[in-house]
Amino acid sequence: MTSPVPYTRAEIKGLGTQLPARGIFCPACGLYIPEFADITPEERTELKQASLFETIKTLRTRTGCRLTWAKIWAQHKDGPHPLVTPDTVPCRFCGVPLHPEAGQCLLCRMDWHDPQHLKQLGPSFTDQILSAAPGATICLPSHTSWILALHFAEMHGRQNELTIEFITRDTD
Ligand SMILES: [Zn+2]
Ligand SMILES: [Zn+2]
């Protein structure tokens, strides 16, 4: 695995409110974990031991990054969060990881709150992902459904054929 190109202070400044677009991808958060050119490997090791607050403070001073970027880094000191954990169960209809008590799936849009009367809540995004022509763009209505869509595309080997997006709202 090649390591991602670190961000320099000047580059970070130029990016304004944009989120990092390079780094290791966290499939659970749907975010890239940025690397910083101004942080030495020694500092990195030290930061791993520091509190969340200290880490964020140090990163902001040393790199000039925004709070959002420092938070993303600080929340991923041990690397990306796994999407499939012992606390998730696969959707019985499409297989994406869900909360064990979920009564519906945001991706295949099945609803099983009443197990006797299964409902389809709307067009299934899983069908779209499976049937879309290579090069197609699929839009998801929320961050959560987008993360599930990325995961589903990967499960079915379509992640490089399709562009999967969600409608963004500015958070900064
Ligand atoms: Zn994460
Ligand atoms: Zn599902």
Side-chain angles (χ1 to χ4, degrees):
M1 192 167 76
T2 55
S3 45
V5 183
Y7 282 97
T8 62
R9 180 176 274 264
E11 194 184 358
I12 292 169
K13 198 160 174 249
L15 286 172
T17 59
Q18 289 180 48
L19 289 171
R22 301 199 294 269
I24 294 171
F25 188 70
C26 174
C29 301
L31 294 165
Y32 289 95
I33 309 159
E35 288 296 335
F36 299 103
D38 290 343
I39 300 290
T40 64
E42 294 73 34
E43 279 176 314
R44 209 192 141 87
T45 312
E46 268 173 46
L47 282 175
K48 284 205 170 186
Q49 314 299 321
S51 70
L52 194 68
F53 176 77
E54 272 304 318
T55 307
I56 291 173
K57 206 173 101 185
T58 309
L59 283 175
R60 296 201 69 189
T61 319
R62 296 279 296 103
T63 73
C65 75
R66 299 178 71 85
L67 178 60
T68 333
W69 285 50
K71 265 193 192 161
I72 295 171
W73 196 93
Q75 285 163 354
H76 294 93
K77 284 186 191 186
D78 299 321
H81 303 122
L83 190 59
V84 179
T85 71
D87 300 327
T88 60
V89 293
C91 169
R92 72 193 80 166
F93 301 101
C94 74
V96 297
L98 299 177
H99 188 274
E101 267 134 55
Q104 66 180 76
C105 173
L106 288 175
L107 199 67
C108 66
R109 315 286 298 275
M110 284 302 286
D111 181 306
W112 55 91
H113 283 97
D114 175 1
Q116 305 303 315
H117 299 96
L118 298 177
K119 275 187 289 190
Q120 176 80 42
L121 297 174
S124 156
F125 294 114
T126 51
D127 287 353
Q128 281 187 42
I129 293 166
L130 292 176
S131 62
T137 299
I138 295 177
C139 284
L140 280 301
S142 67
H143 193 256
T144 311
S145 58
W146 175 68
I147 286 169
L148 294 177
L150 289 177
H151 183 70
F152 185 81
E154 208 171 283
M155 279 163 62
H156 294 272
R158 301 220 67 191
Q159 73 274 23
N160 298 324
E161 289 175 3
L162 304 173
T163 306
I164 298 177
E165 289 179 344
F166 76 104
I167 324 296
T168 40
R169 238 181 293 138
D170 243 332
T171 49
D172 235 314

PDB file of all heavy atoms in Angstrom, residues 85-99:
ATOM      1  N   THR A  85     -19.054  -4.466  12.381  1.00  0.00           N
ATOM      2  CA  THR A  85     -18.533  -4.695  13.729  1.00  0.00           C
ATOM      3  C   THR A  85     -19.395  -5.760  14.402  1.00  0.00           C
ATOM      4  O   THR A  85     -20.451  -6.135  13.868  1.00  0.00           O
ATOM      5  CB  THR A  85     -18.617  -3.396  14.563  1.00  0.00           C
ATOM      6  OG1 THR A  85     -19.993  -3.146  14.866  1.00  0.00           O
ATOM      7  CG2 THR A  85     -18.020  -2.207  13.846  1.00  0.00           C
ATOM      8  N   PRO A  86     -18.966  -6.238  15.598  1.00  0.00           N
ATOM      9  CA  PRO A  86     -19.826  -7.195  16.311  1.00  0.00           C
ATOM     10  C   PRO A  86     -21.191  -6.598  16.662  1.00  0.00           C
ATOM     11  O   PRO A  86     -22.120  -7.325  17.019  1.00  0.00           O
ATOM     12  CB  PRO A  86     -19.026  -7.507  17.582  1.00  0.00           C
ATOM     13  CG  PRO A  86     -17.626  -7.156  17.248  1.00  0.00           C
ATOM     14  CD  PRO A  86     -17.698  -6.022  16.264  1.00  0.00           C
ATOM     15  N   ASP A  87     -21.321  -5.259  16.566  1.00  0.00           N
ATOM     16  CA  ASP A  87     -22.587  -4.612  16.894  1.00  0.00           C
ATOM     17  C   ASP A  87     -23.508  -4.434  15.692  1.00  0.00           C
ATOM     18  O   ASP A  87     -24.552  -3.795  15.808  1.00  0.00           O
ATOM     19  CB  ASP A  87     -22.335  -3.228  17.513  1.00  0.00           C
ATOM     20  CG  ASP A  87     -21.529  -3.317  18.789  1.00  0.00           C
ATOM     21  OD1 ASP A  87     -21.697  -4.324  19.506  1.00  0.00           O
ATOM     22  OD2 ASP A  87     -20.736  -2.407  19.054  1.00  0.00           O
ATOM     23  N   THR A  88     -23.120  -4.947  14.538  1.00  0.00           N
ATOM     24  CA  THR A  88     -24.013  -4.815  13.378  1.00  0.00           C
ATOM     25  C   THR A  88     -24.487  -6.192  12.923  1.00  0.00           C
ATOM     26  O   THR A  88     -23.846  -7.200  13.210  1.00  0.00           O
ATOM     27  CB  THR A  88     -23.299  -4.140  12.180  1.00  0.00           C
ATOM     28  OG1 THR A  88     -22.178  -4.939  11.798  1.00  0.00           O
ATOM     29  CG2 THR A  88     -22.826  -2.725  12.517  1.00  0.00           C
ATOM     30  N   VAL A  89     -25.618  -6.213  12.247  1.00  0.00           N
ATOM     31  CA  VAL A  89     -26.093  -7.447  11.610  1.00  0.00           C
ATOM     32  C   VAL A  89     -26.324  -7.131  10.131  1.00  0.00           C
ATOM     33  O   VAL A  89     -26.712  -6.015   9.804  1.00  0.00           O
ATOM     34  CB  VAL A  89     -27.406  -7.978  12.238  1.00  0.00           C
ATOM     35  CG1 VAL A  89     -27.193  -8.440  13.658  1.00  0.00           C
ATOM     36  CG2 VAL A  89     -28.516  -6.944  12.167  1.00  0.00           C
ATOM     37  N   PRO A  90     -26.097  -8.114   9.250  1.00  0.00           N
ATOM     38  CA  PRO A  90     -26.342  -7.816   7.838  1.00  0.00           C
ATOM     39  C   PRO A  90     -27.832  -7.701   7.539  1.00  0.00           C
ATOM     40  O   PRO A  90     -28.636  -8.445   8.102  1.00  0.00           O
ATOM     41  CB  PRO A  90     -25.720  -9.010   7.100  1.00  0.00           C
ATOM     42  CG  PRO A  90     -25.439 -10.042   8.132  1.00  0.00           C
ATOM     43  CD  PRO A  90     -25.541  -9.437   9.488  1.00  0.00           C
ATOM     44  N   CYS A  91     -28.201  -6.758   6.682  1.00  0.00           N
ATOM     45  CA  CYS A  91     -29.592  -6.648   6.224  1.00  0.00           C
ATOM     46  C   CYS A  91     -29.963  -7.968   5.573  1.00  0.00           C
ATOM     47  O   CYS A  91     -29.212  -8.479   4.746  1.00  0.00           O
ATOM     48  CB  CYS A  91     -29.720  -5.497   5.226  1.00  0.00           C
ATOM     49  SG  CYS A  91     -31.310  -5.479   4.375  1.00  0.00           S
ATOM     50  N   ARG A  92     -31.116  -8.519   5.952  1.00  0.00           N
ATOM     51  CA  ARG A  92     -31.477  -9.842   5.419  1.00  0.00           C
ATOM     52  C   ARG A  92     -31.837  -9.783   3.937  1.00  0.00           C
ATOM     53  O   ARG A  92     -31.952 -10.794   3.278  1.00  0.00           O
ATOM     54  CB  ARG A  92     -32.621 -10.452   6.240  1.00  0.00           C
ATOM     55  CG  ARG A  92     -33.953  -9.784   5.997  1.00  0.00           C
ATOM     56  CD  ARG A  92     -34.969 -10.174   7.022  1.00  0.00           C
ATOM     57  NE  ARG A  92     -34.763  -9.403   8.253  1.00  0.00           N
ATOM     58  CZ  ARG A  92     -35.669  -9.335   9.224  1.00  0.00           C
ATOM     59  NH1 ARG A  92     -36.791 -10.013   9.136  1.00  0.00           N
ATOM     60  NH2 ARG A  92     -35.445  -8.605  10.285  1.00  0.00           N
ATOM     61  N   PHE A  93     -32.036  -8.581   3.421  1.00  0.00           N
ATOM     62  CA  PHE A  93     -32.413  -8.449   2.007  1.00  0.00           C
ATOM     63  C   PHE A  93     -31.235  -8.091   1.103  1.00  0.00           C
ATOM     64  O   PHE A  93     -31.162  -8.550  -0.021  1.00  0.00           O
ATOM     65  CB  PHE A  93     -33.541  -7.424   1.852  1.00  0.00           C
ATOM     66  CG  PHE A  93     -34.754  -7.813   2.635  1.00  0.00           C
ATOM     67  CD1 PHE A  93     -35.023  -7.225   3.859  1.00  0.00           C
ATOM     68  CD2 PHE A  93     -35.599  -8.808   2.170  1.00  0.00           C
ATOM     69  CE1 PHE A  93     -36.135  -7.612   4.603  1.00  0.00           C
ATOM     70  CE2 PHE A  93     -36.706  -9.205   2.904  1.00  0.00           C
ATOM     71  CZ  PHE A  93     -36.976  -8.602   4.132  1.00  0.00           C
ATOM     72  N   CYS A  94     -30.339  -7.214   1.606  1.00  0.00           N
ATOM     73  CA  CYS A  94     -29.229  -6.811   0.718  1.00  0.00           C
ATOM     74  C   CYS A  94     -27.853  -7.034   1.333  1.00  0.00           C
ATOM     75  O   CYS A  94     -26.852  -6.913   0.644  1.00  0.00           O
ATOM     76  CB  CYS A  94     -29.399  -5.353   0.294  1.00  0.00           C
ATOM     77  SG  CYS A  94     -29.032  -4.171   1.599  1.00  0.00           S
ATOM     78  N   GLY A  95     -27.792  -7.320   2.637  1.00  0.00           N
ATOM     79  CA  GLY A  95     -26.515  -7.691   3.247  1.00  0.00           C
ATOM     80  C   GLY A  95     -25.665  -6.567   3.813  1.00  0.00           C
ATOM     81  O   GLY A  95     -24.597  -6.821   4.362  1.00  0.00           O
ATOM     82  N   VAL A  96     -26.124  -5.300   3.720  1.00  0.00           N
ATOM     83  CA  VAL A  96     -25.297  -4.230   4.296  1.00  0.00           C
ATOM     84  C   VAL A  96     -25.420  -4.250   5.824  1.00  0.00           C
ATOM     85  O   VAL A  96     -26.436  -4.683   6.357  1.00  0.00           O
ATOM     86  CB  VAL A  96     -25.670  -2.821   3.741  1.00  0.00           C
ATOM     87  CG1 VAL A  96     -25.405  -2.743   2.249  1.00  0.00           C
ATOM     88  CG2 VAL A  96     -27.091  -2.415   4.089  1.00  0.00           C
ATOM     89  N   PRO A  97     -24.360  -3.808   6.536  1.00  0.00           N
ATOM     90  CA  PRO A  97     -24.422  -3.859   8.002  1.00  0.00           C
ATOM     91  C   PRO A  97     -25.426  -2.852   8.573  1.00  0.00           C
ATOM     92  O   PRO A  97     -25.418  -1.682   8.213  1.00  0.00           O
ATOM     93  CB  PRO A  97     -22.994  -3.519   8.428  1.00  0.00           C
ATOM     94  CG  PRO A  97     -22.371  -2.840   7.263  1.00  0.00           C
ATOM     95  CD  PRO A  97     -23.066  -3.321   6.043  1.00  0.00           C
ATOM     96  N   LEU A  98     -26.264  -3.315   9.474  1.00  0.00           N
ATOM     97  CA  LEU A  98     -27.283  -2.468  10.095  1.00  0.00           C
ATOM     98  C   LEU A  98     -27.243  -2.636  11.603  1.00  0.00           C
ATOM     99  O   LEU A  98     -26.689  -3.609  12.123  1.00  0.00           O
ATOM    100  CB  LEU A  98     -28.688  -2.868   9.614  1.00  0.00           C
ATOM    101  CG  LEU A  98     -29.011  -2.775   8.130  1.00  0.00           C
ATOM    102  CD1 LEU A  98     -30.426  -3.288   7.890  1.00  0.00           C
ATOM    103  CD2 LEU A  98     -28.881  -1.345   7.634  1.00  0.00           C
ATOM    104  N   HIS A  99     -27.865  -1.705  12.308  1.00  0.00           N
ATOM    105  CA  HIS A  99     -28.069  -1.828  13.741  1.00  0.00           C
ATOM    106  C   HIS A  99     -28.987  -3.040  13.965  1.00  0.00           C
ATOM    107  O   HIS A  99     -29.947  -3.224  13.225  1.00  0.00           O
ATOM    108  CB  HIS A  99     -28.731  -0.541  14.246  1.00  0.00           C
ATOM    109  CG  HIS A  99     -28.819  -0.474  15.731  1.00  0.00           C
ATOM    110  ND1 HIS A  99     -29.866  -1.035  16.432  1.00  0.00           N
ATOM    111  CD2 HIS A  99     -28.000   0.075  16.639  1.00  0.00           C
ATOM    112  CE1 HIS A  99     -29.664  -0.828  17.722  1.00  0.00           C
ATOM    113  NE2 HIS A  99     -28.537  -0.161  17.869  1.00  0.00           N
TER     114      HIS A  99
END
